[in-house]
Amino acid sequence: MSITKKATILAVGLGLVTLSACGSSGGGGESGDSRTVTLVSHDSWAASKEVIAAFEKESGYRVKVLKDGDAGQAVNKAILTKDNPQGDVFFGIDNTLLSRALDNGLFQPYEAKDADRVKPEYRADQGRHRVTPVDTGDICVNYDKEWFSEHKLTPPASFDDLIEPRYKNLLVTENAATSSPGLGFLLGTAARYGDGWPEYWKKLKANGVKVVDGWEQAYNEEFSGSAAGRKAKADRPLVVSYASSPPAEVIYADPRPDTAPTGIVPGTCFRQVEYAGLLSNAKNPEGGKALLDFLIGKRFQDDMPLNMFVYPVRDDAKVPADFARFGPQAENPQTMDPDEIAGHRDEWVKSWTSLVLK
Amino acid sequence: MDLARSEVAARGRRRQAAARLALMAGPVAFFAVFFAYPVLAIVGRGLKDGDGWHLARIGQVLADSGVRHVLWFTTWQALVSTALTLLIALPGAYVFARLDFPGKQVLRAVVTVPFVLPTVVVGTAFLALAGRGGLLDELWGVRLDTTVWAILLAHVFFNYAVVVRTVGGLWAQLDPRQEEAARMLGASRPAAWRTVTLPALAPAVAAAALMVFLFTFTSFGVVQILGGPTFATLEVEIYRQTADVFDLSTAAVLTMIQFVAVGAVLAVHAWTVRRRETALRLVDASLTARRPRGAGQWALLAGVLGTVAVLLVLPLAVLVERSLDAPGFASYRALTSADSGVFLVPPIEAIGISLQYAAAATVIAVVIGGLAATALTRRDAGRLVRGFDALLMLPLGVSAVTVGFGFLIALDEPPLDLRSSWILVPLAQALVGVPFVVRTMLPVLRAVDTRLREAAAVLGASPWRVWREVDLPLVRRALLVAAGFAFAVSLGEFGATVFIARPDSPTLPVAVARLLGRPGETNYGQAMALSTILMVVCAVALLVLERLRTDRTGEF
């Protein structure tokens, strides 16, 4: 009985201690002060410490970053909480999902200071300036050079090639419903084949395409050309990834190879543009505006490529030589008009899901 | 004199009825605000726009082949998981009930550990066992991840204890002499078992089967990690439709479907529980177990021990082994740095955060569940109270994911702007803990002799004083057990927490899931290490409970 009594006292005591501890630490309280500006983003956000520190020094704001899951989920969560957002600026919505955010009133208008330095092809929402383009990249099929030379097989060069019998069971892609490269690849096929894309996917499925949930799994566990994939004895030499994946394989390798172990399949690229915007109901709109100015300022745009492996959108930004050498931008990527994406995306994803996954 | 006494008794009864209503008010309010309101809010967001409800969506969603596929898969895998669990666990129930062998108490604790483990940990363990580069892959090149087998085995792993405890607990108390009497009267052994033991066990088997069905029907973490893009239960699909596809109306309809299905299962469950309360001649469990006799019983014992070793111990052992894979505890050391870029804080901090949340959730769940159990104590309760009982069970089966989303959009206005408050997560976790508290406390409270209470009341004690002087001393231990369960359940809660835990304060299961979703061996190692820590914490909590436990007829 005395043990029980002790345990009771202990339990009650623990509860009280905990409650008081929680009360004081406030596990993640709101930064309600006007000197802090909060950036909500996806997990891939990265920037050099020096660049952020320079912004903080010049503007007088402290930057807080909330990485809120992968791209699609971060967007959806931001929309769900838009009446009372978790931050001031959202970065990382791309052209494939842009209409969803705009239709749901996620952003308030603000024209960033250097908006006219953005290359014209990347500008969006010209009438209202609810978003600011920040970076761009291409979603392309990557191939494992070593695998193809070992098997004396020419790598594919286009969407059409991917349904050829000689490339059977070689491609892994991502779920278009849950992953942004997966969705980009689907939109690429829709741009290329128009209404015939379901036919194309039926052939792709018959040719043994494998679908996994997210990019990490596809690239690091299924793709034989990535460093992690080689370790995991992955067995698919074709993966839907980014044009910037080959330079990443070089820059992060130790020792550095002279050429990238992987290459891109040129005819399979889809151009992606990522935007940032000032959240409606932001608690610190002034800080948010300063942060948006900074995101398309020259300093950040120059710093970006080797942090996030994307291309800048400013016409005067410098791309590091290594980056440009190993991962040039695709020549003629598939593109799609934002209105076209807005009108069809959800129905396409639905049809794709029942066609490919069920 | 007599009149006066009956007057006092009647007044006592009236006072008790009033007290019961007062007791129910707290839990009812809690459920209204933190369960019904958020769920209705998110369902409403999906099915309402400016001009009213769009109930036509229900038909459209039901007609969708993809949705039908999910429904079919959810039901099918739950049925198969339940059948498999019964098949594998019933021999275990017999062994625990009827055989006595050294180490039995330890083994009982071992088989219960999986049940309190977070689903994320179970998913991770099976990934380490049967995924790419897992143990089976290394040994024989067998990979079960993204096949339905991994999911089914994980479900059996989880629910083995439910069957062993529910069925074994009753079996241990059945009087063996009844079966012997039937044999004396000329029945063969199978016939005696069929006509005497089986009918007595049937309600317990049914109740266990329904519980397992309920848990597997609403499975989230396991399927999320092991299912890949092809397999989705309703719960996973609700999550995907909300978090990925942003089709809130489909998610809302799916939530309603799940609600109806779970309500039906719970109704049947309540009915079997009532059936189970019919009088059986029960004896003390310690009298019925004997040392194994004969080759058959020894073989059975060996078979059960083998099953436990392969199915329950091996996955967890692999998990621990993987977490130690990197030399010199590197995976554990990596947990202390925030450099991985997954979170704003070192993953190790998730442990402290989780423990705080779980402790707060336990306090809430014990208060609410304790009030509810006290209100439900008297057996002569009317229909109103029975409905209340069912209400308390609903959070077990209503989509936790939906509750999480509901919290996010419903509790964002003063006076209840809790979204940026740390209390949000414990509240969601407590919802799941309350049913466990009620189920643990109720049998004990009901076993308290009413005449004790009546005597105290007649002597003029207030209901509060009666509770303090009569009930509390008798149920203190059950209260602790209930608290332990609530703690373990809160610690592992994933479905509701995954969306409302803030990036700067992840709970352990959320941290594990995030780490698993990131590339690279260090992240994988860290996920395994965190899972191991979580498993140890849950197991320790459980072993402490086992020491405290007296009554073995409870539900869990």
Side-chain angles (χ1 to χ4, degrees):
Chain A
M1 203 70 228
S2 70
I3 289 184
T4 334
K5 208 176 239 162
K6 265 190 211 150
T8 314
I9 291 164
L10 192 73
V12 171
L14 196 81
L16 290 175
V17 169
T18 309
L19 285 176
S20 58
C22 280
S24 59
S25 74
E30 205 61 26
S31 52
D33 67 294
S34 59
R35 301 315 314 156
T36 302
V37 59
T38 307
L39 175 74
V40 185
S41 179
H42 49 56
D43 287 342
S44 311
W45 161 267
S48 302
K49 285 196 175 80
E50 305 77 51
V51 174
I52 297 288
F55 166 74
E56 288 181 330
K57 208 168 140 190
E58 280 164 28
S59 67
Y61 293 109
R62 206 173 62 80
V63 179
K64 189 175 155 198
V65 181
L66 282 186
K67 295 187 188 182
D68 217 0
D70 65 33
Q73 290 197 3
V75 169
N76 295 341
K77 196 166 167 183
I79 295 173
L80 273 177
T81 56
K82 70 175 195 293
D83 298 337
N84 183 359
Q86 299 194 91
D88 307 303
V89 170
F90 184 90
F91 161 78
I93 180 151
D94 70 0
N95 49 328
T96 65
L97 293 177
L98 183 61
S99 64
R100 182 184 293 166
L102 297 181
D103 295 347
N104 281 289
L106 182 60
F107 299 117
Q108 50 182 309
Y110 171 66
E111 188 171 5
K113 213 167 55 193
D114 283 355
D116 54 343
R117 302 305 307 256
V118 172
K119 293 179 185 167
E121 64 263 37
Y122 301 131
R123 296 180 192 177
D125 198 37
Q126 283 298 311
R128 301 174 61 183
H129 298 290
R130 286 169 295 179
V131 287
T132 305
V134 176
D135 66 77
T136 175
D138 296 313
I139 293 163
C140 312
V141 172
N142 282 211
Y143 70 95
D144 174 2
K145 288 179 178 171
E146 195 182 332
W147 191 96
F148 279 96
S149 67
E150 259 176 32
H151 288 74
K152 311 244 184 314
L153 193 61
T154 327
S158 64
F159 284 127
D160 281 344
D161 283 355
L162 294 175
I163 53 178
E164 293 289 336
R166 64 179 180 277
Y167 301 118
K168 198 173 172 64
N169 299 336
L170 301 189
L171 175 66
V172 57
T173 183
E174 298 86 3
N175 186 346
T178 59
S179 145
S180 66
L183 178 56
F185 186 61
L186 166 62
L187 292 179
T189 59
R192 166 75 182 74
Y193 297 103
D195 290 342
W197 71 261
E199 279 310 305
Y200 175 79
W201 274 94
K202 272 183 200 146
K203 290 175 188 156
L204 207 55
K205 191 180 176 181
N207 211 27
V209 64
K210 180 172 188 174
V211 182
V212 296
D213 258 328
W215 176 83
E216 279 92 358
Q217 199 186 344
Y219 193 79
N220 290 304
E221 291 180 19
E222 302 287 344
F223 177 51
S224 58
S226 67
R230 279 195 296 275
K231 271 209 181 99
K233 300 190 186 60
D235 49 10
R236 298 227 163 204
L238 295 171
V239 64
V240 171
S241 186
Y242 298 91
S244 57
S245 303
E249 286 295 336
V250 174
I251 290 163
Y252 282 129
D254 194 22
R256 269 201 194 189
D258 295 332
T259 56
T262 57
I264 61 169
V265 178
T268 59
C269 295
F270 180 80
R271 172 101 354 135
Q272 196 184 21
V273 184
E274 280 196 298
Y275 308 92
L278 184 61
L279 287 162
S280 307
N281 309 312
K283 291 185 186 60
N284 183 2
E286 290 315 308
K289 289 172 184 173
L291 188 61
L292 281 170
D293 292 344
F294 160 73
L295 288 179
I296 58 165
K298 184 147 173 24
R299 181 183 285 143
F300 180 79
Q301 291 276 311
D302 285 351
D303 174 69
M304 204 169 45
L306 289 179
N307 278 300
M308 289 198 273
F309 285 85
V310 288
Y311 271 83
V313 294
R314 265 181 86 102
D315 53 13
D316 60 343
K318 284 201 303 288
V319 177
D322 269 358
F323 190 69
R325 187 158 69 94
F326 294 112
Q329 280 186 285
E331 295 277 327
N332 294 309
Q334 301 288 345
T335 55
M336 196 180 279
D337 184 70
D339 295 339
E340 173 89 356
I341 297 178
H344 296 289
R345 178 191 56 236
D346 293 350
E347 88 187 60
W348 282 344
V349 168
K350 235 190 167 78
S351 330
W352 179 90
T353 303
S354 49
L355 188 76
V356 180
L357 295 182
K358 302 291 185 241
Chain B
M1 180 71 207
D2 272 0
L3 258 179
R5 191 184 302 170
S6 68
E7 179 64 27
V8 168
R11 203 179 317 149
R13 269 199 301 278
R14 272 202 304 279
R15 241 195 346 209
Q16 268 188 334
R20 181 184 297 156
L21 282 176
L23 284 171
M24 276 163 62
V28 167
F30 178 82
F31 274 84
V33 174
F34 296 116
F35 180 68
Y37 168 55
V39 170
L40 283 172
I42 187 87
V43 169
R45 177 78 82 94
L47 291 181
K48 234 177 26 193
D49 48 14
D51 49 352
W53 291 82
H54 284 263
L55 297 180
R57 275 298 294 161
I58 300 178
Q60 288 165 5
V61 172
L62 281 173
D64 183 293
S65 66
V67 169
R68 282 219 293 270
H69 179 89
V70 168
L71 255 175
W72 181 85
F73 174 75
T74 308
T75 314
W76 174 88
Q77 63 80 28
L79 284 172
V80 175
S81 297
T82 307
L84 267 179
T85 310
L86 286 177
L87 193 74
I88 295 173
L90 279 176
Y94 171 83
V95 164
F96 275 103
R98 287 286 192 242
L99 300 183
D100 204 3
F101 49 93
K104 186 171 163 181
Q105 291 311 323
V106 177
L107 194 68
R108 192 195 299 278
V110 166
V111 302
T112 314
V113 166
F115 181 70
V116 294
L117 283 186
T119 51
V120 177
V121 175
V122 177
T124 316
F126 273 81
L127 215 52
L129 180 68
R132 166 184 290 286
L135 184 74
L136 298 181
D137 195 8
E138 281 173 7
L139 293 176
W140 303 295
V142 175
R143 286 184 49 198
L144 298 177
D145 63 326
T146 67
T147 71
V148 76
W149 280 103
I151 296 174
L152 295 177
L153 285 176
H155 282 165
V156 174
F157 169 93
F158 238 118
N159 295 301
Y160 188 89
V162 178
V163 176
V164 167
R165 290 198 155 232
T166 318
V167 180
L170 182 70
W171 208 335
Q173 292 177 293
L174 285 183
D175 194 340
R177 282 170 307 193
Q178 291 176 315
E179 205 176 307
E180 280 156 24
R183 299 275 321 270
M184 298 281 287
L185 294 170
S188 65
R189 183 179 285 244
W193 194 83
R194 208 177 50 240
T195 51
V196 177
T197 308
L198 190 61
L201 281 182
V205 174
L210 281 166
M211 264 322 191
V212 175
F213 183 83
L214 190 67
F215 289 138
T216 51
F217 189 83
T218 58
S219 180
F220 176 65
V222 167
V223 182
Q224 179 84 326
I225 290 179
L226 297 173
T230 348
F231 298 115
T233 52
L234 269 172
E235 188 82 356
V236 170
E237 193 63 21
I238 290 168
Y239 178 79
R240 282 191 187 159
Q241 290 295 338
T242 312
D244 296 320
V245 185
F246 208 64
D247 181 348
L248 296 182
S249 59
T250 299
V253 175
L254 293 176
T255 301
M256 286 155 76
I257 295 171
Q258 185 160 314
F259 193 84
V260 171
V262 166
V265 174
L266 283 175
V268 178
H269 181 258
W271 179 75
T272 59
V273 168
R274 275 209 296 284
R275 282 275 308 277
R276 216 167 12 144
E277 284 173 357
T278 51
L280 289 167
R281 274 193 51 200
L282 297 180
V283 294
D284 189 346
S286 59
L287 303 175
T288 61
R290 302 210 188 107
R291 312 266 356 202
R293 280 168 311 178
Q297 288 195 343
W298 279 108
L300 190 64
L301 178 59
V304 166
L305 290 176
T307 310
V308 169
V310 171
L311 194 75
L312 305 189
V313 180
L314 183 67
L316 299 177
V318 172
L319 180 69
V320 176
E321 186 266 325
R322 293 280 134 149
S323 76
L324 297 169
D325 232 2
F329 293 98
S331 295
Y332 289 88
R333 282 213 308 271
L335 293 176
T336 57
S337 84
D339 291 345
S340 63
V342 187
F343 313 104
L344 300 169
V345 294
I348 200 92
E349 280 191 26
I351 299 170
I353 293 166
S354 263
L355 290 175
Q356 288 183 7
Y357 282 166
T362 304
V363 173
I364 300 169
V366 167
V367 170
I368 299 289
L371 286 173
T374 313
L376 289 169
T377 300
R378 294 194 41 153
R379 279 165 178 281
D380 55 359
R383 188 167 300 167
L384 170 76
V385 177
R386 277 220 297 275
F388 177 63
D389 192 5
L391 172 86
L392 292 173
M393 291 294 280
L394 273 182
L396 269 187
V398 168
S399 164
V401 170
T402 306
V403 172
F405 288 126
F407 269 34
L408 211 55
I409 66 163
L411 304 176
D412 66 343
E413 287 166 38
L416 272 178
D417 182 7
L418 299 175
R419 274 203 341 209
S420 54
S421 161
W422 63 272
I423 195 78
L424 196 62
V425 176
L427 281 170
Q429 293 173 336
L431 275 175
V432 190
V434 167
F436 285 86
V437 174
V438 174
R439 293 291 133 217
T440 317
M441 306 253 325
L442 208 51
V444 182
L445 279 170
R446 282 190 173 157
V448 175
D449 195 334
T450 338
R451 281 170 304 185
L452 283 174
R453 294 194 191 106
E454 280 164 2
V458 168
L459 291 172
S462 65
W464 161 241
R465 177 124 190 245
V466 171
W467 189 83
R468 208 181 54 211
E469 303 282 352
V470 177
D471 292 48
L472 186 61
L474 292 165
V475 301
R476 184 182 289 139
R477 193 176 274 230
L479 199 64
L480 277 175
V481 173
F485 259 124
F487 188 78
V489 170
S490 304
L491 207 54
E493 209 291 322
F494 179 60
T497 318
V498 64
F499 224 61
I500 55 177
R502 298 174 69 93
D504 51 4
S505 44
T507 65
L508 273 173
V510 173
V512 170
R514 281 259 184 125
L515 284 164
L516 274 181
R518 312 252 324 165
E521 282 182 34
T522 54
N523 285 323
Y524 181 80
Q526 286 184 61
M528 297 289 160
L530 265 190
S531 292
T532 305
I533 293 171
L534 195 49
M535 175 179 90
V536 169
V537 172
C538 286
V540 167
L542 189 91
L543 290 172
V544 172
L545 292 188
E546 282 291 319
R547 303 278 323 236
L548 291 170
R549 232 185 144 84
T550 44
D551 149 80
R552 300 210 181 274
T553 55
E555 296 258 328
F556 297 110

